[in-house]
Amino acid sequence: MRKKESSAIEKLDKITNLAIKRGFFWPTAEIYGGKAGFYSYGHLGKSVKNKFESLWRSHFIKEGENFYEIESSAILPEPVFVASGHLEHFNDPLIECKTCHFRFRADQLLEDQGIKTADMTIEEMSKVIMDKRLKCPKCNSWHLSEAKWFNMMFPVPLGAVGVKDMAYLTPETAQAAYLAFKREFEATRKRLPLGIAIIGKAFRNEISPRQLFFRLREFTQAELQIFFDPDELDKAEKWNEISRYKLILQPQGEKTQEISCNDAHKKIEIPQFYAYHMALVQKFYLEKLGIPKSKFRFRELGENERAFYNKIHWDIELDLETLGGFKEVAGIHYRTDHDLLGHEKHSKEKLHVFWNNKSFIPHVLELSFGVDRNVWALLDIFYKEELKNERTIFTFGKTIAPIDVAVFPLVSREGMPKKALEVYNMLKKETSLSCFYDETDSIGRRYRRQDEIGTPYCITIDSQTMKDGTVTIRERDSMKQKRVKIEKLKEELMKN
Ligand code: ATP
């Protein structure tokens, strides 16, 4: 194994062990051995996930003047997926080992050997696997079936009528937004662009769930569908604000480059409406989440890689050491009128709108984020080891850290625990900060434990507190301490 690969596996194991031990996540139904593709969040993971979702809400939904969040059912009736094309097309290429009956994805087997599959048909994949005599990843047998399509949706027969009343767990939140479009358009005074956001569960019966949060069978998506007039694809109301902002782009077949929105528009022909939303997404990653520039890029997908209805498709990729390089965490998809047109045709419900003096089916620009993949990316990117591996820290930004502040009595006597609990309760009740109280072990170990989960501030109540009502605030990254009066504590913590 190469050095880079083994250090990636080592880091992945360290983060996973820490995450399981400290309460970020663990395999669902762990005491029964778990099931591949299902993970549960503990209190720390759920806090990071909640914070990611609220940052996402405030950045993307508040951005649009006519943007709203809705909620829908995760089980949708079969005709929805006939119309959307999922029943026919939402397939992965499946291979079965004829010796051990292990089932896995043909494209992943090839990609693991460094063979690009984006342009291959299913027959070509089978041929390359035969020609190269690739083996079953589980038992090493050469005796493999041909690749065949496998539909990834989970069927849910409803009630007692069985297959006659078929429904499916939704594989993306997007379809629910399309079903809600007509109602929302009417309820919001019939204006475009209209943004409908859903943060909800998606379910995919992945053949080979793996790489932790990267290929789950049940996961959370944060998706924003923006319905707009296609004649305005090349307009963006706030273009002047971002026209000189530099996007980090990897266009098809080219190297990654930094290029202004203006140039992306003129030289790469990215429409203004699309480029504007790319800038918005990049700002979310760099400015709100604090992702270093070197770890972020947009990658353009070629015609064979993207869904046939996506006219323009750039993925957002982050460089993740634990997963061996840049990986997709989100995508911007120009889905045209494909979805609404399909639903109009199959439901017979008119989904045309009257706007800008004409009647038409709105087009959709979709911003689609996998929340769990992003949570893993944050753990990967902000994990650090210092002082010759003596100190492990998550250097999360303050908006993402699962615990904002920990409160400790220096020792468990001289009235310090009582005072520390008073401070803890005051912060908990009178601020929106998430707080944690700890009085076990030495102060040094308590600091280390908070560093390990990324807590930005630790407050210690010591003998001087008992004399003059001041406490120490210790900052995670610099480990510097300063004294402040208890009355000034809230103000001090909130201003950072
Ligand atoms: P991939 O190519 O990795 O299978 P995709 O292109 O099919 O993903 P989309 O359908 O565009 O993914 O879904 C939008 C987002 O949802 C992705 O960018 C990703 O963050 C997330 N996502 C998709 N599939 C999974 C999964 N099985 N587990 C976790 N997150 C997922």
Side-chain angles (χ1 to χ4, degrees):
M1 200 187 298
R2 274 172 286 151
K3 208 170 157 220
K4 202 171 159 203
E5 275 173 40
S6 73
S7 81
I9 293 173
E10 198 185 316
K11 179 172 170 183
L12 186 133
D13 287 345
K14 280 183 183 167
I15 299 181
T16 309
N17 292 338
L18 190 160
I20 292 177
K21 189 175 96 197
R22 298 301 309 274
F24 281 93
F25 64 77
W26 49 79
T28 296
E30 199 184 2
I31 59 169
Y32 290 99
K35 264 278 160 238
F38 297 95
Y39 279 90
S40 297
Y41 285 95
H43 68 292
L44 297 180
K46 179 65 177 158
S47 174
V48 175
K49 189 172 184 238
N50 283 347
K51 287 187 169 184
F52 177 88
E53 290 172 3
S54 26
L55 278 180
W56 188 89
R57 280 191 177 96
S58 66
H59 189 79
F60 292 105
I61 309 183
K62 278 203 188 139
E63 159 65 19
E65 188 254 314
N66 195 29
F67 287 15
Y68 311 92
E69 182 178 359
I70 64 160
E71 186 176 319
S72 177
S73 317
I75 297 177
L76 295 172
E78 186 166 65
V80 173
F81 300 112
V82 174
S84 68
H86 280 90
L87 263 185
E88 198 182 340
H89 298 294
F90 199 56
N91 302 314
D92 268 347
L94 170 86
I95 287 201
E96 185 169 338
C97 169
K98 290 185 184 163
T99 308
C100 73
H101 301 289
F102 181 56
R103 301 172 117 206
F104 51 94
R105 270 173 66 170
D107 55 337
Q108 278 174 358
L109 182 69
L110 290 162
E111 297 273 346
D112 287 348
Q113 306 297 314
I115 303 165
K116 293 261 170 271
T117 57
D119 292 327
M120 284 189 195
T121 62
I122 195 163
E123 291 78 18
E124 283 164 348
M125 284 187 221
S126 289
K127 184 162 182 320
V128 178
I129 288 169
M130 293 295 170
D131 291 351
K132 298 219 174 264
R133 297 198 33 97
L134 298 185
K135 295 187 212 161
C136 167
K138 194 163 182 197
C139 76
N140 262 340
S141 160
W142 279 307
H143 209 38
L144 304 178
S145 74
E146 300 260 295
K148 53 182 191 252
W149 290 120
F150 169 79
N151 191 284
M152 289 199 290
M153 279 198 300
F154 284 104
V156 184
L158 296 180
V161 282
V163 288
K164 284 205 190 101
D165 197 5
M166 201 49 132
Y168 293 87
L169 290 176
T170 189
E172 58 179 11
T173 68
Q175 293 309 317
Y178 306 141
L179 300 177
F181 169 71
K182 192 172 185 211
R183 286 272 176 218
E184 282 292 316
F185 183 69
E186 281 168 9
T188 56
R189 310 204 59 76
K190 303 186 177 172
R191 290 172 300 149
L192 293 181
L194 165 65
I196 301 184
I198 298 182
I199 298 183
K201 289 279 188 169
F203 304 84
R204 297 183 186 179
N205 198 0
E206 298 280 358
I207 300 167
S208 326
R210 56 188 200 162
Q211 294 182 319
L212 293 149
F213 285 11
F214 260 69
R215 208 150 288 291
L216 295 170
R217 286 179 164 138
E218 176 179 348
F219 54 100
T220 302
Q221 287 186 317
E223 294 194 302
L224 173 63
Q225 314 297 323
I226 308 170
F227 301 84
F228 66 98
D229 176 353
D231 290 341
E232 301 195 329
L233 178 62
D234 224 354
K235 279 190 203 156
E237 214 185 296
K238 298 183 201 155
W239 184 250
N240 285 342
E241 285 175 22
I242 53 95
S243 61
R244 291 211 223 137
Y245 179 76
K246 288 202 168 162
L247 297 170
I248 306 165
L249 302 183
Q250 190 190 65
Q252 265 291 295
E254 289 181 39
K255 285 205 174 119
T256 305
Q257 48 198 268
E258 274 194 52
I259 167 166
S260 72
C261 288
N262 247 333
D263 284 346
H265 173 54
K266 287 196 190 120
K267 296 184 185 155
I268 316 184
E269 295 180 2
I270 302 179
Q272 284 195 3
F273 193 64
Y274 195 101
Y276 173 79
H277 286 94
M278 290 177 108
L280 195 66
V281 168
Q282 184 172 308
K283 284 175 179 217
F284 176 67
Y285 278 97
L286 305 193
E287 293 166 23
K288 297 282 165 71
L289 298 177
I291 303 294
K293 244 163 105 175
S294 59
K295 290 195 175 272
F296 176 95
R297 75 176 181 203
F298 286 106
R299 186 176 74 83
E300 185 180 25
L301 270 71
E303 216 167 304
N304 293 320
E305 273 181 289
R306 59 183 192 242
F308 68 95
Y309 51 80
N310 278 340
K311 209 160 162 192
I312 310 177
H313 182 161
W314 292 74
D315 274 343
I316 292 91
E317 297 187 335
L318 299 180
D319 187 7
L320 303 178
E321 214 183 319
T322 51
L323 301 181
F326 277 94
K327 295 283 169 199
E328 172 192 341
V329 290
I332 306 186
H333 313 133
Y334 173 30
R335 294 176 75 133
T336 68
D337 57 0
H338 168 77
D339 300 276
L340 288 188
L341 199 62
H343 287 305
E344 182 175 273
K345 189 169 141 219
H346 285 86
S347 68
K348 312 270 183 304
E349 188 77 36
K350 201 164 157 41
L351 298 176
H352 277 61
V353 299
F354 192 78
W355 176 254
N356 282 344
N357 298 318
K358 58 183 188 270
S359 167
F360 62 97
I361 295 220
H363 280 210
V364 170
L365 182 71
E366 173 185 63
L367 312 188
S368 174
F369 296 72
V371 177
D372 316 272
R373 279 192 193 183
N374 278 282
V375 169
W376 178 265
L378 295 169
L379 296 178
D380 175 297
I381 289 173
F382 292 114
Y383 178 85
K384 299 259 163 1
E385 285 171 2
E386 279 182 359
L387 307 176
K388 299 204 173 104
N389 301 348
E390 288 242 321
R391 183 162 104 110
T392 300
I393 347 172
F394 279 116
T395 56
F396 295 130
K398 297 182 180 98
T399 47
I400 281 296
I403 303 280
D404 296 306
V405 54
V407 183
F408 311 140
L410 181 64
V411 288
S412 297
R413 48 178 202 274
E414 296 161 31
M416 290 182 213
K418 187 167 171 268
K419 193 75 192 158
L421 275 169
E422 267 171 42
V423 171
Y424 165 79
N425 283 321
M426 181 255 304
L427 292 174
K428 223 172 138 179
K429 284 189 194 129
E430 296 173 26
T431 69
S432 55
L433 300 168
S434 52
C435 310
F436 185 77
Y437 174 81
D438 193 2
E439 60 176 49
T440 53
D441 291 332
S442 71
I443 193 76
R445 292 180 78 163
R446 280 179 269 166
Y447 284 147
R448 291 283 182 273
R449 279 206 293 265
Q450 293 307 310
D451 290 343
E452 202 180 53
I453 60 169
T455 308
Y457 299 108
C458 293
I459 290 166
T460 304
I461 277 67
D462 53 17
S463 49
Q464 201 173 326
T465 315
M466 309 312 283
K467 288 183 210 143
D468 65 5
T470 61
V471 295
T472 62
I473 303 182
R474 177 222 191 231
E475 201 270 332
R476 179 195 65 203
D477 298 343
S478 64
M479 293 193 279
K480 286 203 175 119
Q481 300 194 14
K482 68 172 171 188
R483 287 204 88 85
V484 295
K485 283 243 166 233
I486 292 177
E487 305 90 83
K488 295 271 175 205
L489 196 51
K490 277 191 286 182
E491 200 182 307
E492 190 66 35
L493 291 170
M494 300 304 274
K495 89 172 176 215
N496 289 306

